[in-house]
Amino acid sequence: MYDLMLQGAAHVFQPWTLFAIFCGVTGGLVIGSIPGLTSTMAIALMVPLTYAMEIEFAIPLLMGVYCGAISGGLVGAILLNIPGTPASAGTCLDGYPMAAKGQATRALGLAVYSSMIGGVLSGLALVLIAPTLAKVALSFGPWEYFALVVFTFTCISAMSSKGRAVKAFMAAFIGLALALVGLDEASGQTRLTFGFTAFESGFYELPALIGLYAIPQLLADTDDIGRSATMIKINYKLREFMGTFREVMSRKRDLGRSTFLGIVIGILPGVGPGLSNIVAYSQAKRASSQPEKFGTGELPESVMSPEAANNASMGGALIPMLTLGIPGDASTLMMLGAFMLHGIDPGPLLFRDHGDIVWVVFIAFFVAFAFCTLVYHFFIPLTVKAISVPRQYVIPVLLILCTVGCYALNNRMFDVYCFLGFGLLGYFLHIARVPVLPVILGLILGPMAEEQLSLALAFGQGSVLPFVTRPISGTILLISILSLVLPPILGRRRRRKAVEPA
Amino acid sequence: MRTIDLIFSGVYLTVLLIAFTQIGDLREISAASFTSAKLFPQLVLGLGLVMGVIETLRTLFLPSPADEGIGFRQTLAMTFRPRRMLLLALFVIYLAAIKPLGFLIATGIFCFATIALLTPRVTPVSLVIAALVSVCTLALIYQLLVVYLQAFLP
Amino acid sequence: MKFSSYALAAAVSALAATSALAFPDKPIELVVPFSPGGGSDVSARVFAQCLEGQIDQKVLIKNIEGARGKIGEVEVRDARPDGYKLLWAHQGMDMGLATGRSDYNYTAFKPVASTVAMNYGIFAGANSGIDGVESLKSKVSENPGSYTIGTALNGFSHFAALDFLEQAGVSVDDVRTIPMSGDKNRIVAAIQGNLTLVPTAVGAAAPYVDSGDMKPVAVLSADRDPRLGDAQTGQEQGADSQFAMYFTTYAPKDTPQEAIDTLADAWIAAAEDPACQEKLGKQSMTVVPAKGTELDDVLAKRYARIEELADKFNLTSEGN
């Protein structure tokens, strides 16, 4: 094992390879942090370029882009309230309010350090217990997946402000209904296309995400033009930025919980960082002693939890990819293609046949995170400066970038029109004061729920009993029900207690 | 805010009802007798409708919460503020113009026009800045996507 | 006037001649109607590398996914027929028409050349105890209805499974069909023991066969697959099912014949290059080159089989 590790290290610690990781991280960070240019796009465009390279060079470069692009999403989420990936949608909830209060440096610092810690911890899990974790992933059948979807769905109640939970669920059903549009994968027939061929592909989550967040935000931003007083005033100080590290370390419990959730959700193929950040956020809120302060941008853990979780999911998503050859999310799916093109089959035999490549992945992952942390210290001041550029210049440029980004995902104008359509929907919801995050969640969860439910019923010959009798799915469902029912009851009791002494 | 809430519920219920009736036209999968092509869509849309009805009843019969901050008229005025509508109109025209004009030309014009129209006081200097920003954006997109990443432009 | 119109006509014809000679004078887009990283994408990209040197211009891969390939196919079908936008499709396109999902098949295009082929096979989870056609037959006749096969309904895997089951003499009613799409999803379900039979590309299943998680039942090709030399073909076991995935390059219907010929020559030359075949072999892909009338016959024959299966197993009647 050690000689393989040394071999892997020897591959990575070549000046040119290190340089490649560095470029990958920097490029990924820039692309990931610009709203509209998403991490999926960065990787989709990078993977074909690596086909012509040596594998020892291509893999570290891709790892760099992967780490950089996914963690770069936090910048757009915090400074502009436009997440670049579903993975940082949870970060918007508290990161933007915190930045709007003038604490952008604090919000960015919290997010950067917690995501680095989450990433490194998940990397350790990847190195130390990958095969064991892979077994956990394999024990998840359709029943467990469906239960997990139900559980994530119940998290919506924790993410909405008081009295608006039903509205949030309605938004989620809008997402679920939109997810029905297109070709039904199981039965091979089209639904709700109203006769248009273009609709048969269904709606992709990224144009929807960018549209729902970017267009309402940019439209609302036009109000700020010419009013310099309302601009976010940011005085960036490196010391203040570094100082948040201590704040992050003071919340070890939240950090640990979010990282754990991130890894566990990340190893499940097909789930990935898009869900883990939302689950971690809602769990942090449930565990918190001041849940009413979530969403206001006061508490550090409300920014840290989603970021720690989504980066932890990255290491997690690599586990099924390397050990089973099953991609954890859209990005790892494309990396899988890169492995295959280099004549390496990720799968059960990768550790035996290509042990050195496995170590290249491991070491490159850590090096990428180290570079990522380093680059952030120079990159954040730049982004903070960029935010004080007058709005009239920022708005058209961002709209153009979103257009390009949506087009580049699938080379189709239809996706750009979707971006506009979802933008209008988002604007309508914004006016009606309905949160947009549940719409995205519904759009992501819908196809998964449908596929897993029909599979579970088909395997179980129409019986729904396995949902309850299988231990893991039964437990998850029980927790989901409790998490819906308990908080109102406990809350009422707490309120009564608070009233009694007075 | 009550009026807005009711409008939202109304639109929501209508859309879901249309979807629900459309799903009824799906045919069953004959090869797999245990699953139905209609089961999941009807489950989702049905639950969604129930949610909508609950919320509508709640808005109608429960006293609305205290944060009655902005009235209906104000909200409408805010929604259709001239600058917001201007930006939206420009963007729609831009998307429509990409195909006939070509991406690079359309983008240049859109960028320039938007900055010029959104700037509070149009001066020669602001026009020069607008032109500069447009050129830089185009250069950035071209350099990053076409040269480095070999992507396709619309 | 007469003179000038004559000159004009001469100029136009000269221009046309040079432009025909110059084809291709800009990069060619090859549309892959599936996502980057998948089997279609990998095959197209490897083949595009082989094309370098055979044709003067670059061949760029453009992924347009959605609706099982339909979105990308329609994009090329409706594109300007100048030979600069081509489609990299397999028989899944024809299955759309045969099952009533779409209203066109390969005849809506002008075929350029058929080059890369991916062998398909039927595999079983290791703990099912099935390791060949014989054991499959005996197990199914012992317990009809307790074994499952996962297929994307009306998709390639569904047709491959039906073709195999028919040739093997196993009644489709005795094996429960589970609708599930995606090679990897099916493989995972088989390893977990939830699913018995998996139709999938040989290359996708090979690592799991090597590790002992899966057993090959039959490879659906004439010869054994180079990647899994021990796996017997269906033919060897008395089930003469040959159902490989053939990637054919198509151009829009009205593309000029000269352009098609130029492209087809380059495609065939690339496919017959041993270095290219070696590259493809690493991805467990083989080369079955065909162009011109020979290709037309092959495509017609493949479509006839697809239609026959669709009729026989009643996939069309529920279509409309």
Side-chain angles (χ1 to χ4, degrees):
Chain A
M1 176 163 161
Y2 284 107
D3 49 318
L4 283 177
M5 184 175 131
L6 287 177
Q7 244 176 346
H11 283 312
V12 176
F13 290 106
Q14 303 277 342
W16 280 108
T17 313
L18 286 176
F19 183 68
I21 301 181
F22 183 77
C23 291
V25 165
T26 317
L29 267 183
V30 171
I31 290 181
S33 62
I34 298 175
L37 306 184
T38 56
S39 59
T40 314
M41 188 198 93
I43 294 165
L45 293 175
M46 274 311 293
V47 165
L49 294 189
T50 59
Y51 288 168
M53 300 173 189
E54 289 289 308
I55 182 145
E56 290 85 5
F57 190 74
I59 298 297
L61 177 65
L62 280 177
M63 293 305 296
V65 175
Y66 183 55
C67 292
I70 291 202
S71 84
L74 67 91
V75 178
I78 290 176
L79 292 178
L80 296 163
N81 199 16
I82 306 173
T85 58
S88 45
T91 318
C92 282
L93 292 170
D94 271 86
Y96 183 70
M98 190 181 272
K101 281 183 184 164
Q103 297 179 322
T105 314
R106 176 171 170 227
L108 287 167
L110 289 171
V112 167
Y113 287 120
S114 53
S115 54
M116 293 310 128
I117 293 170
V120 170
L121 286 180
S122 79
L124 285 177
L126 177 68
V127 174
L128 298 176
I129 46 171
T132 326
L133 285 172
K135 278 202 192 96
V136 175
L138 263 190
S139 69
F140 263 62
W143 301 274
E144 284 77 18
Y145 269 105
F146 186 72
L148 188 73
V149 169
V150 172
F151 174 67
T152 318
F153 212 68
T154 63
C155 287
I156 293 172
S157 72
M159 287 182 314
S160 46
S161 53
K162 242 179 82 192
R164 317 267 312 162
V166 185
K167 281 251 155 51
F169 276 111
M170 282 165 81
F173 278 107
I174 296 177
L176 286 172
L178 288 170
L180 292 178
V181 176
L183 187 78
D184 172 13
E185 272 298 339
S187 73
Q189 42 183 332
T190 54
R191 305 184 289 213
L192 299 178
T193 58
F194 301 98
F196 293 104
T197 306
F199 279 180
E200 283 183 24
S201 62
F203 301 119
Y204 290 102
E205 62 197 51
L206 285 171
L209 174 91
I210 303 169
L212 280 171
Y213 276 93
I215 290 191
Q217 185 67 35
L218 293 176
L219 286 179
D221 276 353
T222 56
D223 298 351
D224 294 341
I225 293 172
R227 272 190 273 159
S228 54
T230 52
M231 286 297 312
I232 304 174
K233 279 263 180 326
I234 303 161
N235 294 317
Y236 176 77
K237 288 193 202 84
L238 191 65
R239 277 203 34 216
E240 194 190 335
F241 182 75
M242 311 257 277
T244 53
F245 184 71
R246 214 172 297 135
E247 201 176 351
V248 169
M249 293 315 287
S250 70
R251 305 279 171 167
K252 284 204 186 67
R253 274 233 330 261
D254 290 294
L255 208 55
R257 179 181 351 89
S258 305
T259 308
F260 174 75
L261 282 171
I263 296 174
V264 170
I265 294 179
I267 58 170
L268 301 175
V271 186
L275 296 191
S276 65
N277 71 91
I278 288 160
V279 173
Y281 180 86
S282 66
Q283 294 313 308
K285 184 171 176 183
R286 278 180 189 142
S288 169
S289 54
Q290 312 157 284
E292 69 282 355
K293 284 198 178 159
F294 273 67
T296 59
E298 285 180 21
L299 299 174
E301 63 262 34
S302 55
V303 180
M304 288 161 46
S305 309
E307 275 305 316
N310 71 28
N311 280 275
S313 291
M314 285 166 51
L318 287 174
I319 293 173
M321 186 192 101
L322 291 174
T323 54
L324 303 170
I326 305 156
D329 55 11
S331 312
T332 37
L333 172 73
M334 287 179 272
M335 300 227 278
L336 204 61
F339 275 90
M340 278 165 57
L341 260 178
H342 286 102
I344 290 175
D345 293 317
L349 298 184
L350 182 69
F351 280 76
R352 195 193 71 192
D353 296 346
H354 298 284
D356 53 335
I357 297 292
V358 174
W359 278 104
V360 168
V361 174
F362 287 168
I363 294 168
F365 186 80
F366 284 109
V367 173
F369 264 106
F371 279 145
C372 207
T373 320
L374 192 74
V375 173
Y376 260 125
H377 286 91
F378 301 97
F379 182 63
I380 292 286
L382 283 178
T383 60
V384 171
K385 275 207 194 80
I387 197 78
S388 47
V389 173
R391 290 278 118 166
Q392 62 263 38
Y393 304 123
V394 177
I395 291 167
V397 173
L398 285 185
L399 276 177
I400 291 169
L401 288 173
C402 289
T403 309
V404 175
C406 289
Y407 181 82
L409 282 170
N410 199 15
N411 298 315
R412 261 178 100 193
M413 276 312 278
F414 177 71
D415 285 327
V416 181
Y417 303 140
C418 279
F419 162 69
L420 177 65
F422 274 95
L424 294 177
L425 172 68
Y427 191 54
F428 174 62
L429 295 177
H430 175 80
I431 297 296
R433 294 197 304 148
V434 176
V436 292
L437 180 57
V439 182
I440 293 293
L441 210 54
L443 206 58
I444 300 175
L445 290 180
M448 199 152 63
E450 169 161 30
E451 188 189 349
Q452 304 299 343
L453 179 65
S454 79
L455 274 184
L457 291 179
F459 287 148
Q461 312 208 10
S463 160
V464 288
L465 267 180
F467 283 115
V468 193
T469 52
R470 286 177 67 104
I472 303 180
S473 91
T475 318
I476 300 177
L477 282 177
L478 187 71
I479 297 175
S480 328
I481 295 171
L482 289 182
S483 73
L484 266 189
V485 177
L486 277 185
I489 299 175
L490 288 179
R492 204 164 292 165
R493 195 179 290 169
R494 207 181 292 156
R495 235 170 292 146
R496 208 174 295 154
K497 261 187 193 160
V499 171
E500 268 167 13
Chain B
M1 282 320 274
R2 199 165 179 184
T3 331
I4 298 282
D5 280 352
L6 282 179
I7 293 176
F8 172 67
S9 298
V11 175
Y12 173 86
L13 287 176
T14 323
V15 170
L16 252 60
L17 262 180
I18 294 175
F20 199 84
T21 50
Q22 289 283 317
I23 288 296
D25 298 344
L26 283 182
R27 54 202 147 79
E28 285 303 334
I29 318 164
S30 56
S33 46
F34 294 112
T35 46
S36 153
K38 289 181 193 171
L39 172 76
F40 182 78
Q42 286 185 337
L43 187 77
V44 163
L45 295 173
L47 275 174
L49 281 172
V50 171
M51 279 285 165
V53 171
I54 294 177
E55 178 68 11
T56 317
L57 293 178
R58 240 171 50 115
T59 351
L60 279 178
F61 296 112
L62 285 183
S64 46
D67 59 342
E68 197 78 30
I70 358 166
F72 180 59
R73 267 163 197 286
Q74 276 164 296
T75 316
L76 267 193
M78 194 181 81
T79 314
F80 295 106
R81 270 194 193 139
R83 270 221 195 99
R84 294 188 180 187
M85 289 304 109
L86 173 71
L87 177 65
L88 201 59
L90 280 170
F91 187 61
V92 172
I93 295 170
Y94 165 56
L95 289 191
I98 286 183
K99 276 239 166 107
L101 287 185
F103 174 75
L104 291 177
I105 299 173
T107 304
I109 296 174
F110 168 72
C111 194
F112 181 77
T114 313
I115 297 176
L117 289 172
L118 285 181
T119 312
R121 267 171 298 127
V122 181
T123 57
V125 179
S126 75
L127 288 182
V128 172
I129 298 181
L132 271 178
V133 172
S134 310
V135 171
C136 289
T137 313
L138 280 181
L140 171 87
I141 290 175
Y142 193 79
Q143 190 69 25
L144 182 70
L145 290 176
V146 181
V147 179
Y148 289 144
L149 294 176
Q150 297 183 2
F152 296 92
L153 289 178
Chain C
M1 276 318 277
K2 213 173 181 182
F3 176 74
S4 69
S5 71
Y6 177 76
L8 196 74
V12 166
S13 65
L15 206 75
T18 48
S19 74
L21 272 180
F23 178 86
D25 60 358
K26 62 176 182 181
I28 296 167
E29 283 178 13
L30 183 57
V31 172
V32 174
F34 295 97
S35 67
S40 281
D41 180 60
V42 170
S43 64
R45 287 188 193 275
V46 174
F47 192 70
Q49 284 180 5
C50 300
L51 279 170
E52 276 174 28
Q54 305 292 351
I55 200 159
D56 297 335
Q57 287 289 336
K58 266 191 171 171
V59 176
L60 302 172
I61 306 295
K62 189 172 189 179
N63 300 91
I64 304 182
E65 59 169 323
R68 289 192 189 162
K70 194 173 171 183
I71 303 293
E73 290 157 17
V74 170
E75 169 100 11
V76 176
R77 188 190 66 181
D78 300 340
R80 194 172 340 132
D82 54 6
Y84 290 105
K85 199 165 214 176
L86 307 172
L87 175 72
W88 183 261
H90 60 69
Q91 297 103 298
M93 182 163 80
D94 301 336
M95 290 160 187
L97 180 69
T99 58
R101 181 167 57 82
S102 56
D103 50 8
Y104 61 88
N105 69 349
Y106 75 94
T107 51
F109 299 85
K110 200 170 237 180
V112 175
S114 194
T115 46
V116 182
M118 235 159 87
N119 282 337
Y120 222 68
I122 305 288
F123 297 83
N127 41 16
S128 68
I130 295 172
D131 55 3
V133 176
E134 275 315 309
S135 63
L136 170 71
K137 274 184 178 163
S138 64
K139 292 243 178 191
V140 170
S141 61
E142 274 168 35
N143 299 309
S146 62
Y147 293 98
T148 51
I149 186 160
T151 66
L153 286 192
N154 299 351
F156 191 94
S157 53
H158 196 188
F159 278 89
L162 291 176
D163 190 76
F164 167 73
L165 291 177
E166 193 203 38
Q167 298 287 1
V170 176
S171 164
V172 178
D173 301 323
D174 292 343
V175 183
R176 272 164 44 220
T177 303
I178 308 266
M180 63 194 303
S181 57
D183 280 352
K184 292 280 160 143
N185 290 344
R186 293 195 283 266
I187 291 172
V188 171
I191 297 175
Q192 287 174 334
N194 291 328
L195 191 68
T196 327
L197 293 174
V198 181
T200 181
V202 173
Y208 306 93
V209 173
D210 288 343
S211 69
D213 289 316
M214 302 239 289
K215 287 261 185 298
V217 178
V219 175
L220 307 183
S221 60
D223 302 308
R224 289 193 181 192
D225 189 89
R227 175 75 172 78
L228 282 181
D230 294 337
Q232 289 187 307
T233 63
Q235 203 176 16
E236 287 175 63
Q237 304 175 71
D240 189 11
S241 165
Q242 294 185 21
F243 216 89
M245 203 179 246
Y246 298 102
F247 290 102
T248 309
T249 308
Y250 295 97
K253 187 83 185 158
D254 298 321
T255 312
Q257 190 59 43
E258 302 85 61
I260 299 278
D261 290 341
T262 314
L263 290 170
D265 289 342
W267 254 241
I268 297 296
E272 282 170 348
D273 178 13
C276 177
Q277 294 185 353
E278 191 192 341
K279 264 193 214 167
L280 286 164
K282 273 189 200 156
Q283 311 297 329
S284 85
M285 288 170 197
T286 50
V287 172
V288 185
K291 65 167 183 172
T293 47
E294 184 195 353
L295 177 59
D296 293 339
D297 293 345
V298 171
L299 290 175
K301 221 160 106 193
R302 281 182 205 150
Y303 188 71
R305 177 62 180 156
I306 289 171
E307 216 164 28
E308 186 188 338
L309 283 170
D311 283 340
K312 179 155 190 201
F313 292 99
N314 221 7
L315 303 178
T316 32
S317 67
E318 47 176 27
N320 292 305

